Amino acid sequence: MKRLFFLLLAAAAFTAMHAQGWPSRYGGVMLQAFYWDSFDDTNWAVLQSKADELSGTFDLVWLPQSGNCGGTSMGYDDLYWFSDYNSSFGNEQQLRTLISTLKEKNIKTIADVVINHRKSLNGWFGFPTETYKGQTYTMGPSDVCANDDDGKAKAEADRLGVTLGANDTGEGWGGMRDLDHTSENVQQTVMAYLDFLKNDLGYAGFRYDMVKGYAARFTGLYNASAQPEFSVGECWDGTTTIKNWIEGTKTDNQIQSAAFDFQFRYTVRNAMNNNSWNRLAQQNDGNWPLVSNSQDDGKYRRYAVTFVENHDTERRQNAEQDPLKKDTLAANAYLLAMPGTPCVFLKHWQAYPAEIKAMVAARKAAGIHNESTYQTTAMLQWVYACSVDDKLQVVVGSTNRFVPDAKEWTRVLSGYHYAYYLSTAMQTAYISLPSGTYVGEQTATLSAVTNAEGARVVYTTDGSTPTAQSTAVESGYSLHIPVGTTILKAGLLIGGQVSGVVSSTLVVKEQEEEKPVEIPSFCTVADGEVCAFFEAPATWGNTIHCWAWTDQPADNFTYATKGWPGVACTLLGTANNGNNVWKWTWDGTKQNNTSATQPAKIIFNNNGAPQTADLSFENGGYYTKDGLVGNATAAISQPSADHARAATIYTLDGRKVTNPQHGRLYIVNQKKVLFR
């Protein structure tokens, strides 16, 4: 075992000169492809089905920790490193298929690596024994930090008569065993684990979780051995601490890892949440973001992975995180224009795919990369503007209050509180819709990015190269894109000559008519009853529990005697789509017995996990995992004849009705109605 350890160290020393932590002048964009409890949205099969949608926009996709953790888990209580990859997101074959499918689409995957701590199978030190490449790996008490869990681990070790390792080289964390990274066995096992992730599963890089939990030099050691293309650490702290951590990863005087730029995130959040756009150029808590142009910080732009929200910061139930509350589009516009490597949060992509896709396309058209430089061009409370590499200018806030010189800049994108301009020196036509699949008819803006007098845009929609005889329009022309496939090409027309031709292949699908939610007839509310209904996803196989509370006054309606996950709900039946429907009814008891008469907030959970977000409580409300969709208290009513004639009426299975029949149930304004 020791012989293998020294061979690995020799390999690390030999390859250290090639390890750089993150590529120089890298122009790619990353997607964080999960959020807390996103098991349904981001299982391996679902993500694989999104490969075409992600291709061309994202170059890196960060996946959740993919090993089996012994139960429903996001992966931060990691258990198996080599032998069991049947996780809460799918089985091993689905994971391998996902990674290879993304690779075929020129998307590389980033593994979430949790090595600060590890879960045990039994007892405090019962880690699994696993085999990789013929070598057996296991950990024991001597691989656990001597001061783990504020002395509780030592007390257990003393009781068992075993010896722990050295003291922790970083911050402690309770709940699982903190690994002693000075242990040769831990180092050997981690190096083999990273080799498995990279060379067996096919990950291109690593996102290291909770790197403040162990000394930075170990990340350097591990990366020098594994040679990932990409490495980024979660050093959740101020800029000085993050820079020191990056420096601490050096091996043979070369940095081995990038880091998430938390101060960038907080600077953006403060500006958006306080409607103070000038804060984007100000210091935040005494620290500049890593992308700063200052002489001291400039070298760190390469190693800054920027973001505006992630799975931890966005969790609304953790009020101390103070999440981004508004101007999500403007925040992403700023993020995607700036140096560093931007990491887009999945929920933002889900909400604004077309807009973010267009922003990324503009970034790539301008050639912005992680070491680009920038200059503030406007800094007022109501508007902020920044020019990056003199090629892309982003304006956020009240964009009408600052308009760059039209001789130097052409606006190519705009939306609520953001606008993108490209330098006229680029001398190119520009199509606002990048290649991809869209739902519903679209509008593409054709722009002439040039300072030439009298320049126009010529275009074709059949894939042919535009000529001087093609349809010519003024810069800023809005072109309707119908359902179907359109191969749109556009070029600059200057003095009878066509140049700067660009192309975009647009696949537009029909917009499906949104069907009203059907509340099953067995969802009834008695007089004076305080209750709610939940339609559980098919993947939620356990008994559904409810957690309902008020903050003012502070009280809980579902505490029972054990606390979380709350009170078990009653299974009522199945909806027409086959999903189980559950009901929670307040039994009249409360934890603190305050004056509150009904909850303000409610959570439904699958006997603990997954769970919904914090949802606003509405008595008789009908909820899905996405939130409130209807109410059963007015499920059956008798509308007036005028109301019936004016409303759009549907059958319970979602078909539009023109001649409703007396005595039948229909959906009117998202409520069940009995016509008589």
Side-chain angles (χ1 to χ4, degrees):
M1 184 174 289
K2 285 190 175 181
R3 181 174 180 273
L4 176 59
F5 168 72
F6 287 116
L7 286 174
L8 287 170
L9 282 182
F14 176 76
T15 59
M17 66 183 69
H18 303 293
Q20 294 293 308
W22 203 270
S24 177
R25 299 178 67 84
Y26 182 65
V29 177
M30 182 160 69
L31 173 70
Q32 180 182 358
F34 64 96
Y35 51 88
W36 273 111
D37 300 331
S38 63
F39 308 108
D40 297 312
D41 264 5
T42 63
N43 66 60
W44 306 143
V46 169
L47 289 178
Q48 183 193 349
S49 72
K50 304 290 185 183
D52 284 332
E53 176 185 328
L54 302 177
S55 178
T57 297
F58 297 107
D59 307 272
L60 303 172
V61 170
W62 163 23
L63 300 179
Q65 199 281 123
S66 49
N68 188 311
C69 296
T72 302
S73 171
M74 289 299 297
Y76 295 108
D77 54 344
D78 61 318
L79 179 60
Y80 292 99
W81 283 5
F82 303 98
S83 60
D84 192 339
Y85 274 74
N86 296 315
S87 73
S88 298
F89 297 91
N91 60 42
E92 180 177 334
Q93 186 54 53
Q94 290 172 321
L95 172 64
R96 291 181 181 275
T97 301
L98 168 63
I99 292 173
S100 63
T101 299
L102 291 175
K103 187 175 182 180
E104 290 170 2
K105 303 295 181 181
N106 296 314
I107 301 172
K108 298 177 180 180
T109 46
I110 303 297
D112 208 323
V113 176
V114 184
I115 55 174
N116 170 70
H117 52 267
R118 193 176 183 186
K119 187 177 181 179
S120 56
L121 274 171
N122 52 75
W124 278 65
F125 312 113
F127 301 105
T129 298
E130 301 175 278
T131 300
Y132 175 57
K133 290 185 176 180
Q135 178 74 36
T136 298
Y137 296 93
T138 190
M139 291 181 178
S142 61
D143 299 313
V144 174
C145 293
N147 55 347
D148 177 46
D149 228 356
D150 295 325
K152 294 179 183 177
K154 185 178 186 306
E156 182 66 10
D158 290 345
R159 187 184 73 81
L160 296 173
V162 297
T163 302
L164 299 180
N167 281 340
D168 205 331
T169 58
E171 296 180 0
W173 188 75
M176 274 165 277
R177 305 291 66 77
D178 279 16
L179 300 180
D180 172 19
H181 287 270
T182 68
S183 160
E184 291 184 3
N185 185 50
V186 169
Q187 293 173 7
Q188 173 186 332
T189 306
V190 170
M191 288 178 180
Y193 173 42
L194 298 181
D195 180 82
F196 172 75
L197 291 174
K198 178 173 176 282
N199 297 316
D200 194 314
L201 290 180
Y203 283 107
F206 310 134
R207 177 265 184 187
Y208 286 98
D209 179 66
M210 198 177 173
V211 296
K212 292 199 298 179
Y214 51 99
R217 67 180 183 273
F218 296 112
T219 300
L221 173 69
Y222 300 144
N223 279 349
S225 170
Q227 291 289 286
E229 293 182 64
F230 306 90
S231 172
V232 55
E234 183 210 22
C235 187
W236 195 333
D237 212 310
T239 303
T240 299
T241 300
I242 297 173
K243 287 191 294 187
N244 289 341
W245 181 84
I246 292 173
E247 289 287 336
T249 69
K250 283 182 175 178
T251 299
D252 289 344
N253 205 36
Q254 288 190 336
I255 290 171
Q256 300 294 314
S257 184
F260 283 107
D261 191 347
F262 278 86
Q263 288 303 316
F264 182 97
R265 185 262 168 184
Y266 287 126
T267 298
V268 174
R269 180 208 62 191
N270 291 345
M272 305 297 152
N273 287 358
N274 294 286
N275 199 33
S276 298
W277 303 93
N278 55 337
R279 289 195 180 195
L280 292 174
Q282 293 178 343
Q283 287 179 314
N284 182 56
D285 297 331
N287 298 302
W288 285 102
L290 295 183
V291 295
S292 169
N293 279 337
S294 72
Q295 183 176 358
D296 178 56
D297 291 347
K299 67 177 181 178
Y300 295 107
R301 289 197 299 276
R302 170 177 175 176
Y303 301 107
V305 178
T306 54
F307 70 104
V308 296
E309 203 78 289
N310 69 20
H311 60 299
D312 286 320
T313 63
E314 71 98 20
R315 299 185 76 187
R316 266 58 178 177
Q317 60 264 44
N318 295 339
E320 68 274 12
Q321 302 303 347
D322 194 13
L324 187 68
K325 298 175 182 176
K326 61 178 183 175
D327 282 311
T328 301
L329 272 174
N332 278 278
Y334 179 73
L335 167 74
L336 291 166
M338 294 296 285
T341 298
C343 182
V344 175
F345 185 44
L346 178 64
K347 285 190 177 181
H348 294 176
W349 168 251
Q350 290 174 327
Y352 306 105
E355 292 88 345
I356 290 176
K357 187 179 184 72
M359 293 172 187
V360 174
R363 174 189 180 88
K364 292 183 176 181
I368 306 304
H369 53 81
N370 57 348
E371 295 180 86
S372 292
T373 59
Y374 65 92
Q375 179 181 7
T376 296
T377 53
M379 185 179 63
L380 299 170
Q381 181 175 351
W382 50 81
V383 65
Y384 176 81
C386 186
S387 168
V388 185
D389 283 347
D390 294 324
K391 292 182 178 179
L392 172 65
Q393 186 158 190
V394 57
V395 183
V396 289
S398 299
T399 56
N400 62 324
R401 297 198 180 194
F402 177 78
V403 179
D405 187 343
K407 293 181 179 180
E408 298 180 3
W409 299 96
T410 298
R411 188 175 70 178
V412 294
L413 292 177
S414 63
Y416 183 70
H417 279 173
Y418 77 91
Y420 270 17
Y421 295 79
L422 290 178
S423 168
T424 56
M426 293 178 65
Q427 297 293 325
T428 184
Y430 192 81
I431 301 171
S432 65
L433 288 181
S435 295
T437 300
Y438 299 84
V439 178
E441 297 183 351
Q442 301 290 312
T443 299
T445 301
L446 308 181
S447 301
V449 184
T450 177
N451 55 9
E453 293 288 342
R456 305 187 79 196
V457 179
V458 287
Y459 72 91
T460 62
T461 57
D462 60 1
S464 61
T465 301
T467 67
Q469 286 70 47
S470 300
T471 304
V473 295
E474 298 297 324
S475 180
Y477 178 76
S478 295
L479 177 66
H480 174 256
I481 308 297
V483 171
T485 299
T486 299
I487 303 177
L488 176 60
K489 291 189 176 182
L492 284 178
L493 179 61
I494 304 173
Q497 300 296 315
V498 177
S499 61
V501 175
V502 292
S503 179
S504 187
T505 301
L506 307 170
V507 179
V508 179
K509 297 181 178 181
E510 289 275 10
Q511 177 79 54
E512 294 184 6
E513 184 175 348
E514 185 176 349
K515 295 181 179 180
V517 175
E518 176 186 351
I519 301 177
S521 58
F522 51 70
C523 295
T524 59
V525 182
D527 289 343
E529 186 178 21
V530 175
C531 64
F533 304 88
F534 181 67
E535 182 182 306
T539 53
W540 289 25
N542 297 327
T543 298
I544 300 303
H545 283 64
C546 174
W547 185 257
W549 74 99
T550 59
D551 291 321
Q552 297 292 333
D555 215 334
N556 193 293
F557 291 68
T558 52
Y559 186 78
T561 58
K562 295 183 179 180
W564 180 263
V567 174
C569 299
T570 301
L571 178 62
L572 297 183
T574 58
N576 277 355
N577 59 13
N579 290 339
N580 286 336
V581 178
W582 302 75
K583 181 179 181 180
W584 167 72
T585 299
W586 181 39
D587 64 3
T589 63
K590 291 177 289 185
Q591 181 182 7
N592 299 324
N593 199 30
T594 65
S595 60
T597 57
Q598 66 178 35
K601 296 288 186 180
I602 191 168
I603 290 173
F604 295 96
N605 62 80
N606 189 37
N607 193 26
Q611 67 179 63
T612 66
D614 295 2
L615 308 172
S616 295
F617 176 78
E618 184 174 300
N619 193 28
Y622 189 86
Y623 297 82
T624 68
K625 70 179 182 66
D626 297 316
L628 180 69
V629 295
N631 195 295
T633 58
I636 299 179
S637 59
Q638 299 178 32
S640 67
D642 289 341
H643 177 78
R645 285 192 295 268
T648 302
I649 303 170
Y650 298 89
T651 61
L652 296 186
D653 61 0
R655 291 177 287 111
K656 189 177 293 186
V657 176
T658 55
N659 295 305
Q661 303 297 309
H662 292 290
R664 292 191 178 182
L665 277 173
Y666 297 102
I667 301 293
V668 179
N669 294 331
Q670 297 189 1
K671 295 181 180 179
K672 286 185 295 187
V673 171
L674 179 64
F675 277 77
R676 295 181 179 176

Coordinates of all heavy atoms in Angstrom, one line a residue, residues 68 80-81 91 98-100 117 138 206 210 231 270 279 287 302 346 360 388 395 401 493 671:
N68 N -23.6 6.6 -4.4 CA -24.7 6.2 -3.4 C -24.4 6.6 -2.0 O -23.2 6.4 -1.5 CB -24.8 4.6 -3.5 CG -26.1 4.2 -2.7 OD1 -26.3 4.5 -1.6 ND2 -26.8 3.3 -3.3
Y80 N -20.2 5.9 -0.7 CA -19.4 5.0 -1.6 C -18.6 5.9 -2.6 O -19.2 6.8 -3.2 CB -20.4 4.1 -2.4 CG -21.0 3.0 -1.5 CD1 -22.3 3.2 -1.0 CD2 -20.3 1.9 -1.1 CE1 -22.8 2.2 -0.1 CE2 -20.8 0.9 -0.3 CZ -22.1 1.1 0.2 OH -22.7 0.2 1.0
W81 N -17.4 5.5 -2.8 CA -16.5 6.2 -3.8 C -16.2 5.5 -5.0 O -15.9 6.1 -6.1 CB -15.2 6.6 -3.1 CG -15.3 7.8 -2.1 CD1 -16.5 8.4 -1.8 CD2 -14.3 8.4 -1.4 NE1 -16.2 9.4 -0.9 CE2 -14.8 9.4 -0.6 CE3 -12.9 8.2 -1.3 CZ2 -14.1 10.2 0.2 CZ3 -12.1 9.0 -0.5 CH2 -12.7 10.0 0.2
N91 N -29.2 5.4 -11.9 CA -28.2 4.3 -11.7 C -26.9 4.6 -12.4 O -26.8 5.6 -13.1 CB -28.8 3.0 -12.1 CG -29.2 3.0 -13.6 OD1 -28.5 3.5 -14.5 ND2 -30.3 2.4 -13.9
L98 N -25.2 9.7 -19.5 CA -25.3 11.1 -19.5 C -24.0 11.8 -19.8 O -23.9 12.7 -20.6 CB -25.8 11.5 -18.1 CG -25.7 13.0 -17.8 CD1 -26.6 13.9 -18.7 CD2 -26.1 13.3 -16.3
I99 N -22.9 11.3 -19.1 CA -21.6 11.9 -19.3 C -21.1 11.8 -20.8 O -20.6 12.7 -21.4 CB -20.6 11.3 -18.4 CG1 -20.9 11.7 -16.9 CG2 -19.2 11.7 -18.7 CD1 -20.1 11.0 -15.9
S100 N -21.3 10.6 -21.3 CA -20.9 10.4 -22.7 C -21.8 11.2 -23.7 O -21.2 11.7 -24.7 CB -20.9 8.9 -23.1 OG -22.2 8.4 -23.0
H117 N -15.3 15.3 4.5 CA -15.9 14.4 5.4 C -16.5 13.2 4.7 O -16.6 13.2 3.5 CB -17.0 15.1 6.2 CG -18.0 15.8 5.4 ND1 -17.9 17.1 5.0 CD2 -19.1 15.3 4.7 CE1 -18.9 17.4 4.2 NE2 -19.7 16.4 4.0
T138 N -10.0 1.1 2.1 CA -10.9 1.2 3.2 C -10.3 2.2 4.2 O -9.1 2.6 4.1 CB -11.1 -0.1 4.0 OG1 -12.1 0.0 4.9 CG2 -9.8 -0.6 4.7
F206 N -13.4 18.8 -11.5 CA -13.9 18.6 -10.1 C -14.3 19.9 -9.5 O -13.7 20.9 -9.7 CB -12.8 18.0 -9.2 CG -12.1 16.7 -9.8 CD1 -10.8 16.6 -9.7 CD2 -12.9 15.7 -10.4 CE1 -10.1 15.5 -10.2 CE2 -12.3 14.6 -10.9 CZ -10.9 14.5 -10.8
M210 N -16.6 22.3 0.3 CA -16.1 22.7 1.6 C -14.6 22.6 1.8 O -14.1 22.0 2.7 CB -16.8 21.8 2.7 CG -16.8 22.4 4.1 SD -17.7 21.4 5.2 CE -17.2 22.2 6.8
S231 N -10.8 22.6 -12.2 CA -10.9 22.4 -10.8 C -11.4 23.7 -10.1 O -10.8 24.7 -10.4 CB -9.6 21.9 -10.1 OG -9.7 21.9 -8.7
N270 N -26.3 42.5 -3.6 CA -26.5 43.8 -2.9 C -27.0 44.9 -3.9 O -27.9 45.7 -3.6 CB -25.2 44.3 -2.3 CG -24.8 43.4 -1.1 OD1 -25.6 42.6 -0.6 ND2 -23.6 43.5 -0.7
R279 N -23.5 49.9 -7.0 CA -22.7 48.9 -6.1 C -21.9 47.9 -6.9 O -21.0 47.3 -6.3 CB -23.7 48.2 -5.1 CG -24.3 49.1 -4.1 CD -24.9 48.3 -3.0 NE -25.5 49.1 -1.9 CZ -25.9 48.6 -0.7 NH1 -25.7 47.4 -0.5 NH2 -26.4 49.4 0.2
N287 N -13.8 44.0 0.4 CA -13.1 43.1 -0.6 C -13.6 43.4 -2.0 O -14.8 43.6 -2.2 CB -13.4 41.7 -0.3 CG -12.9 41.2 1.1 OD1 -11.7 41.4 1.3 ND2 -13.8 40.8 1.9
R302 N -8.3 34.6 -14.0 CA -8.3 33.2 -14.6 C -8.9 32.2 -13.7 O -9.5 31.2 -14.2 CB -6.8 32.9 -14.9 CG -6.6 31.4 -15.3 CD -5.2 31.1 -15.7 NE -4.9 29.7 -15.9 CZ -3.8 29.3 -16.3 NH1 -2.7 30.1 -16.5 NH2 -3.6 28.0 -16.6
L346 N -29.2 26.6 -12.3 CA -30.2 25.9 -13.1 C -31.6 26.6 -13.1 O -32.2 26.7 -14.1 CB -30.3 24.4 -12.6 CG -31.4 23.6 -13.3 CD1 -31.1 23.4 -14.8 CD2 -31.6 22.3 -12.6
V360 N -25.3 34.4 -23.6 CA -24.0 33.6 -23.8 C -23.5 33.7 -25.3 O -22.3 33.9 -25.5 CB -24.3 32.1 -23.5 CG1 -23.1 31.3 -23.8 CG2 -24.7 32.0 -22.0
V388 N -16.3 45.5 -21.7 CA -15.3 44.4 -21.5 C -14.5 44.2 -22.8 O -15.1 43.9 -23.9 CB -16.1 43.1 -21.1 CG1 -15.2 42.0 -20.8 CG2 -17.1 43.4 -20.0
V395 N -25.2 47.1 -20.0 CA -25.8 48.2 -19.3 C -26.9 47.6 -18.5 O -27.8 46.9 -19.0 CB -26.4 49.3 -20.2 CG1 -27.0 50.4 -19.4 CG2 -25.3 49.8 -21.1
R401 N -31.3 55.5 -19.4 CA -30.5 56.6 -18.9 C -29.1 56.6 -19.3 O -28.3 57.6 -19.0 CB -30.7 56.6 -17.4 CG -32.1 56.8 -16.9 CD -32.1 57.2 -15.4 NE -33.5 57.4 -14.9 CZ -33.8 58.0 -13.8 NH1 -32.8 58.5 -13.0 NH2 -35.0 58.1 -13.4
L493 N -24.5 44.9 -45.6 CA -24.5 45.4 -47.0 C -24.0 46.8 -47.0 O -24.6 47.7 -46.4 CB -26.0 45.4 -47.6 CG -26.1 45.9 -49.0 CD1 -25.3 45.1 -50.0 CD2 -27.6 46.0 -49.4
K671 N -61.3 26.4 -11.5 CA -62.1 25.8 -10.4 C -63.1 24.9 -11.0 O -63.6 25.0 -12.1 CB -62.8 27.0 -9.6 CG -61.9 27.9 -8.9 CD -62.6 29.0 -8.1 CE -61.7 29.9 -7.4 NZ -62.4 31.0 -6.7

